[in-house]
Amino acid sequence: MIILGIETSCDETAASVVKDGREILSHVLATSAQMHIKTGGIIPEKAAREQVKSIIPVIEEALREAKLLVVGSETHNSQPTTYPKIDAIAVTYGPGLIGSLLVGVETAKTLSYLWSKPLVPVNHLVAHIYANWLSPKVKSSEPELPAIALVVSGGHTDLVYLKNHNQMEYIGGTRDDAAGEAFDKTARLLGLPYPGGPAIATAASHYPLPTTHYQPFLPRPMLDNDNYDFSFSGLKTAVLREVEKLKNNQQLNNLTIQQLSFEIQEAITDVLVEKSLRAVKQYRAKTFLLAGGVAANKRLTDKFKLAIGHLALDIDFRVPPPHLCTDNASSIAACAEFNYHPLPWRQISANPNLSIMN
Ligand code: KG4
Ligand code: ZN
């Protein structure tokens, strides 16, 4: 199938055309991120206003780039009518910011009605996992199921068992802050820009690699608990204490910021790797799928690869390229291909609080 994907859950306005859930024919994205850097975080109202301005141009560009926009013979208001040669439309209906979600959902409903195309509502969190099916991988090297998937994004940290497409079991998740949120909030405490994940990763990369005597000093929350849950809010409190101590001693400088960044990244990634691989062993998964914005973190993927080697796990480790880890519409279209449940447009509405299991 050829599916037009639409994604507007946060500060990105994205549209993509994907063939058979694997081949990206076009991938267009407009973002208001620069605007949010100035305010140190997303202002939902501003993000939604930008979405309204970008949505039609972005969709039109995605269809043109994929060479799927056909000019009809009729005219309307002296403009030729256009039709897209697509089989279906897929749209994120949650979770996310309500104002932003509404822009994508209502536009998709209108286009589905206008073009008489089936409309597939897609869970944004599940879609992150499907970035692992997108090109350049050829069909023969597609991820094999069952798999354990870890979705680590700005608002969610979920560990799921993917027995088959459409058959998912929730096995654990964060009890408070998400992994991305922990990066964003601690970066703010260190005076680093939004989004915090890439800022912390860059600062950490400048920290001279510690010797073998390196002593971790931040907590690794819930590492020893006998479950698959995570908790990152304690880490934020611990970082606040460290920052205050450094400020009082007039020692908050580039080097201490780099050291704290390094340690924050180590603390978050230690817990994610350890608990996910425990699940891989228990569920005898064939594949481990990393997904979501935080999956763009190189230290995280390096540590996964190292630990899989150390433990001699017979597992196929997959992670999408960085531009498919963060929010995008190609993942939405891929997810719809493998979980194809179109609904009448009247039955689709934005749900900002959707969980990965809805
Ligand atoms: O999935 P995503 O693009 O949006 C949501 O659905 O939330 O994830 C955004 C999150 C942010 O918290 C951001 O700081 C984090 O992903 N992130 C990273 C990196 N790139 C983005 N975290 C750590 N390292 C990165 N390189
Ligand atoms: Zn996301």
Side-chain angles (χ1 to χ4, degrees), residues 9 12 124 128 152-155 180-181 183-184 195-198 201 265 292-294 296-298 325-327:
S9 64
E12 267 96 21
H124 173 90
H128 270 304
V152 267
S153 71
E181 201 173 352
F183 273 113
D184 294 337
Q265 186 171 251
V294 180
N297 187 280
K298 182 149 187 319
C325 286
T326 45
D327 293 346

Side-chain angles (χ1 to χ4, degrees), residues 29-103:
L29 193 139
T31 175
S32 56
Q34 283 306 103
M35 188 182 269
H36 307 302
I37 288 174
K38 287 186 204 134
T39 45
I42 294 175
I43 299 177
E45 168 74 19
K46 279 197 173 176
R49 280 174 191 234
E50 292 308 304
Q51 308 262 16
V52 172
K53 283 192 243 167
S54 319
I55 187 79
I56 295 295
V58 164
I59 292 174
E60 189 177 27
E61 195 181 328
L63 291 169
R64 277 193 201 288
E65 202 179 297
K67 302 192 172 32
L68 290 171
L69 211 50
V70 178
V71 181
S73 50
E74 306 145 44
T75 55
H76 179 68
N77 286 346
S78 60
Q79 293 226 349
T81 48
T82 47
Y83 303 92
K85 279 175 32 186
I86 54 170
D87 299 305
I89 301 172
V91 66
T92 300
Y93 75 108
L97 304 170
I98 184 63
S100 295
L101 285 169
L102 278 171
V103 176

Side-chain angles (χ1 to χ4, degrees), residues 49-221:
R49 280 174 191 234
E50 292 308 304
Q51 308 262 16
V52 172
K53 283 192 243 167
S54 319
I55 187 79
I56 295 295
V58 164
I59 292 174
E60 189 177 27
E61 195 181 328
L63 291 169
R64 277 193 201 288
E65 202 179 297
K67 302 192 172 32
L68 290 171
L69 211 50
V70 178
V71 181
S73 50
E74 306 145 44
T75 55
H76 179 68
N77 286 346
S78 60
Q79 293 226 349
T81 48
T82 47
Y83 303 92
K85 279 175 32 186
I86 54 170
D87 299 305
I89 301 172
V91 66
T92 300
Y93 75 108
L97 304 170
I98 184 63
S100 295
L101 285 169
L102 278 171
V103 176
V105 169
E106 296 308 314
T107 307
K109 281 157 77 169
T110 309
L111 294 177
S112 147
Y113 178 78
L114 188 72
W115 295 334
S116 303
K117 301 288 178 192
L119 181 57
V120 185
V122 170
N123 183 318
H124 173 90
L125 297 169
V126 181
H128 270 304
I129 299 173
Y130 280 87
N132 284 293
W133 268 261
L134 289 164
S135 50
K137 310 231 160 57
V138 289
K139 199 174 176 214
S140 60
S141 78
E142 255 174 40
E144 264 191 276
L145 299 178
I148 290 287
L150 174 69
V151 183
V152 267
S153 71
H156 296 82
T157 301
D158 291 314
L159 200 56
V160 295
Y161 176 59
L162 195 63
K163 197 167 176 199
N164 220 320
H165 299 299
N166 288 307
Q167 248 187 304
M168 214 168 64
E169 190 187 318
Y170 180 83
I171 62 173
T174 187
R175 294 191 177 174
D176 40 56
D177 290 354
E181 201 173 352
F183 273 113
D184 294 337
K185 286 181 175 170
T186 54
R188 204 180 177 131
L189 293 175
L190 296 178
L192 296 174
Y194 176 86
I200 292 222
T202 305
S205 72
H206 295 304
Y207 181 59
L209 263 190
T211 63
T212 44
H213 302 302
Y214 181 78
Q215 283 291 320
F217 56 93
L218 290 173
R220 269 60 174 163

